[in-house]
Amino acid sequence: MNMNERFEAYIASDAKIEPKDWMPDAYRKTLIRQISQHAHSEVVGMLPEGNWVTRAPSLLRKSILLAKVQDEAGHGLYLYSACETLGVSRDDLIADLHSGKAKYSSIFNYPATSWADMGTIGWLVDGAAIMNQVPLCKTSYGPYARAMVRVCKEESFHQRQGFQILLALCNGTEEQKAMAQESINRWWWPALMMFGPRDEDSQHTEESMRWRIKRFTNDELRQKFIDMTVPQAELLGLTIPDPDLKWNEERGHYDFGEINWEEFYHVIRGNGPCNKERIAARQQAHDEGAWVREAALAHSKKRAAQSSTHAA
Amino acid sequence: MAAQEHIRYIARLGDDAVVLGQRLSEWCGHGPILEEDIALTNLSLDYIGQARALYTHAGALEAQGHGEDHFAYFRDEEAFENHLMVELPKGDFGFTVMRQFLFATFAYLRMEALAGQTTDPELAAIAAKSVKELRYHVEHARDWVVRLGDGTAESRERLHRSLEQLWPYTGELFTPDAVDTWAETAGMAPDLARLKARWDDVITAALTEATLGRPEDGWMQAGGKAGRHTEHLGYLLAEMQSLARKHPGVTW
């Protein structure tokens, strides 16, 4: 057996690959792409929610939202670290985000224009993310799998918090309830797009499934998400903006309408409502922080020089 | 019912915390490095938490059915009695850490004293919890002041400028008004002159280590504790209160 065959057999036995193990270049590249994309999504995902931190309508909601956005920054950190075990640096990954070479979840290219979006992002967006991420706790690359265990615990907490925000709105005044419905109308379809293209159009699915990086296909996860979400929407008393949505007794699943794939590809190509703003905001934070990072480095060099002089 | 001065003393502690917490939260998603994004959010969360406890306590003393959100969301500028320093715009990262250092050192010493008093046990309990948080805030800010002061020429220049801008707002921290005097006489609040002596030691030592030196005391700005604010507070409150005020009386 050559190295590639041994690797494939090892993966097939469900064993974990660790940073120092041999791995094919393509496996390493796929992981770097996927983990960094995930890390970038966490960091860019801070922006739409950050947009409501200063306007959260109660001190309790403000605290919960701040803690949530902070968790996302933390997820970004673990995921960048997991990615660094594959031999890339965080600086290079961030440069790829800013240059547009690396992608992040397209959902964050939609604007968060109402407070209800804080509920919807938690409920639908984090809910869809959990569907995608829970299987990753068993992904074949050890550091990624372990990072995902922690990420998923916190994400499911976020999803519940999002649901609570919407529940409060739906139990509130007519205006609050309308705010919740308007938000679901905007986010429903983009949330379904989070599972990626249809299986027959997905470039990466087959190889990623064989390598056990991915464990379910895009369409399987999307269906699972819809089946789980529809009863929750009923509980809230909100209408899902899809006239074709109905229970299919035979399939044991909900049927649903056609996703606007043209929009999906447009947003991926950079034409979503906020693509440019999101990257500009990240780039600006990075540029404005340059003097801080340089100073911290200069200071630690000075201190190191002082302590070596003292030691000598 | 509790004395008006007592309620005001507690509420203004909350005002400092909520305004500074709001300013710090503006960094959320925009920090110079991810680690500092997390750290600044943490500080913000601590202040918002302190504000909630203090406002709840003030509302209970006042006994008019006002909860924490009434104080934060349904009062106008002139009812806020925070120190002017905390309402100044967030500035660059150097301004933020310099303000944190100057203010958190004061807040730490104040809370430490409040944790030891016995006149208001509820306040003492809130203060005891806050002291633990503020100790970290001081450390975090001091580390950055030294790092940036003794970093590059640019960082030193930026930090120096922030220090010059902030210094005129330090006088107000230690100038007692009638409410402070009432609280001190009641055995609740510390003597601000004694607090100042300790603050001076901590600040001077760090500024020296940061190669910045301590500015001369000149004219000091004041007015926050009398509800006379800078132009910045109005915008901060307008943003913070906008949604809550659009839907008064609802549950979120």
Side-chain angles (χ1 to χ4, degrees):
Chain A
M1 260 203 298
N2 66 24
M3 292 296 265
N4 263 315
E5 286 162 355
R6 278 173 56 188
F7 178 81
E8 298 276 351
Y10 191 63
I11 292 257
S13 73
D14 245 347
K16 292 271 180 274
I17 305 297
E18 293 300 332
K20 287 183 177 155
D21 295 344
W22 184 87
M23 59 187 89
D25 272 352
Y27 176 84
R28 186 186 300 273
K29 276 191 191 139
T30 298
L31 277 170
I32 292 174
R33 178 178 55 77
Q34 185 172 331
I35 302 173
S36 68
Q37 191 168 318
H38 189 170
H40 298 327
S41 301
E42 297 283 355
V43 172
V44 176
M46 295 166 72
L47 297 170
E49 294 182 302
N51 187 40
W52 281 91
V53 161
T54 54
R55 291 176 293 168
S58 73
L59 293 178
L60 176 62
R61 289 289 175 210
K62 190 192 289 291
S63 302
I64 294 173
L65 186 59
L66 271 168
K68 183 191 172 187
V69 183
Q70 189 186 35
D71 283 347
E72 274 148 20
H75 297 171
L77 270 186
Y78 328 138
L79 290 163
Y80 283 128
S81 303
C83 216
E84 286 184 317
T85 66
L86 292 159
V88 283
S89 74
R90 204 208 298 184
D91 286 347
D92 290 340
L93 295 172
I94 288 173
D96 285 346
L97 170 69
H98 295 167
S99 74
K101 188 178 156 203
K103 300 284 180 227
Y104 54 90
S105 180
S106 267
I107 194 79
F108 301 119
N109 291 318
Y110 289 87
T113 49
S114 105
W115 167 253
D117 292 358
M118 300 303 100
T120 308
I121 290 175
W123 177 48
L124 291 183
V125 175
D126 292 336
I130 293 166
M131 284 283 159
N132 278 325
Q133 290 169 3
V134 166
L136 294 175
C137 298
K138 292 191 176 158
T139 195
S140 58
Y141 187 58
Y144 190 26
R146 289 187 289 273
M148 290 317 298
V149 171
R150 183 154 170 200
V151 169
C152 285
K153 273 189 200 153
E154 293 179 354
E155 291 295 354
S156 57
F157 195 60
H158 297 165
Q159 194 203 8
R160 238 172 307 153
Q161 289 169 342
F163 188 80
Q164 293 297 332
I165 288 177
L166 291 174
L167 192 62
L169 294 175
C170 290
N171 288 333
T173 61
E174 282 306 309
E175 285 159 311
Q176 283 177 299
K177 194 164 178 192
M179 194 190 284
Q181 182 64 55
E182 187 272 339
S183 174
I184 301 302
N185 293 349
R186 276 183 292 113
W187 289 92
W188 174 254
W189 292 104
L192 295 190
M193 294 177 198
M194 285 177 70
F195 297 94
R198 277 182 299 229
D199 292 348
E200 65 261 35
D201 301 323
S202 173
Q203 297 172 34
H204 305 295
T205 295
E206 197 195 326
E207 192 179 56
S208 289
M209 294 281 281
R210 193 180 80 239
W211 280 338
R212 305 204 176 184
I213 295 174
K214 255 175 116 153
R215 322 249 354 183
F216 296 96
T217 72
N218 296 352
D219 287 333
E220 283 167 355
L221 290 168
R222 186 163 20 240
Q223 182 70 58
K224 205 171 158 194
F225 173 73
I226 293 170
D227 292 347
M228 182 196 79
T229 308
V230 174
Q232 294 175 0
E234 283 166 4
L235 195 73
L236 289 168
L238 294 172
T239 308
I240 287 179
D242 177 359
D244 297 325
L245 186 81
K246 62 171 186 296
W247 180 250
N248 182 325
E249 195 61 54
E250 208 175 304
R251 289 203 308 130
H253 291 295
Y254 281 93
D255 290 337
F256 55 97
E258 188 61 27
I259 290 172
N260 181 346
W261 293 110
E262 199 189 331
E263 176 180 324
F264 172 80
Y265 287 110
H266 263 298
V267 179
I268 286 187
R269 276 190 225 109
N271 300 324
C274 302
N275 294 55
K276 289 181 181 62
E277 272 174 61
R278 298 296 187 228
I279 291 300
R282 288 311 313 161
Q283 179 82 58
Q284 189 184 353
H286 189 75
D287 292 349
E288 287 176 357
W291 70 272
V292 177
R293 297 189 299 273
E294 282 159 20
L297 193 66
H299 180 77
S300 69
K301 280 185 185 157
K302 281 186 198 177
R303 284 290 156 104
Q306 278 165 6
S307 63
S308 65
T309 319
H310 286 306
Chain B
M1 202 185 82
Q4 277 308 309
E5 290 87 348
H6 189 176
I7 301 165
R8 277 178 68 191
Y9 187 78
I10 309 291
R12 65 166 62 160
L13 290 169
D15 295 342
D16 273 340
V18 87
V19 172
L20 187 54
Q22 177 76 2
R23 277 291 179 232
L24 286 162
S25 78
E26 294 171 7
W27 279 102
C28 187
H30 306 279
I33 41 173
L34 211 42
E35 286 83 349
E36 282 311 302
D37 220 304
I38 295 175
L40 294 174
T41 306
N42 232 341
L43 305 183
S44 174
L45 269 169
D46 286 344
Y47 289 115
I48 302 290
Q50 291 173 19
R52 293 182 59 204
L54 290 159
Y55 283 156
T56 300
H57 183 39
L61 290 173
E62 192 193 43
Q64 290 185 19
H66 290 149
E68 57 187 56
D69 288 334
H70 165 80
F71 290 89
Y73 291 95
F74 294 95
R75 289 182 308 149
D76 294 332
E77 264 172 275
E78 62 274 16
F80 277 76
E81 296 184 339
N82 56 279
H83 293 96
L84 297 178
M85 184 190 280
V86 296
E87 70 198 45
L88 300 176
K90 81 183 201 301
D92 67 4
F93 183 73
F95 186 88
T96 285
V97 297
M98 183 57 85
R99 167 168 53 198
Q100 276 309 113
F101 181 54
L102 299 174
F103 186 79
T105 302
F106 160 74
Y108 169 73
L109 294 169
R110 178 171 66 174
M111 283 297 187
E112 189 188 46
L114 291 173
Q117 53 83 29
T118 53
T119 312
D120 179 344
E122 177 62 25
L123 175 59
I126 297 168
K129 183 170 182 286
S130 307
V131 161
K132 290 183 199 144
E133 296 166 350
L134 290 164
R135 186 179 298 133
Y136 167 76
H137 297 193
V138 173
E139 252 173 61
H140 172 260
R142 189 187 195 282
D143 285 350
W144 274 110
V145 164
V146 171
R147 214 174 273 144
L148 297 177
D150 189 17
T152 61
E154 182 186 1
S155 69
R156 185 173 187 279
E157 171 54 28
R158 281 176 182 260
L159 221 61
H160 183 74
R161 213 160 43 213
S162 298
L163 179 61
E164 294 287 332
Q165 281 168 17
L166 284 158
W167 199 255
Y169 295 94
T170 58
E172 189 185 33
L173 304 175
F174 303 103
T175 310
D177 72 350
V179 173
D180 290 316
T181 309
W182 179 92
E184 193 196 328
T185 312
M188 192 186 301
D191 169 9
L192 287 174
R194 283 177 57 188
L195 224 60
K196 171 91 163 55
R198 293 182 60 199
W199 184 85
D200 277 336
D201 290 344
V202 177
I203 298 298
T204 307
L207 292 180
T208 306
E209 196 181 332
T211 76
L212 293 167
R214 188 190 159 104
E216 291 295 317
D217 281 349
W219 172 255
M220 292 289 179
Q221 300 294 341
K225 289 194 278 195
R228 291 194 312 275
H229 291 278
T230 66
E231 289 180 345
H232 307 293
L233 184 66
Y235 288 96
L236 180 143
L237 295 180
E239 184 175 353
M240 182 170 88
Q241 298 176 337
S242 58
L243 180 61
R245 291 223 183 182
K246 216 192 275 181
H247 304 269
V250 310
T251 303
W252 296 99

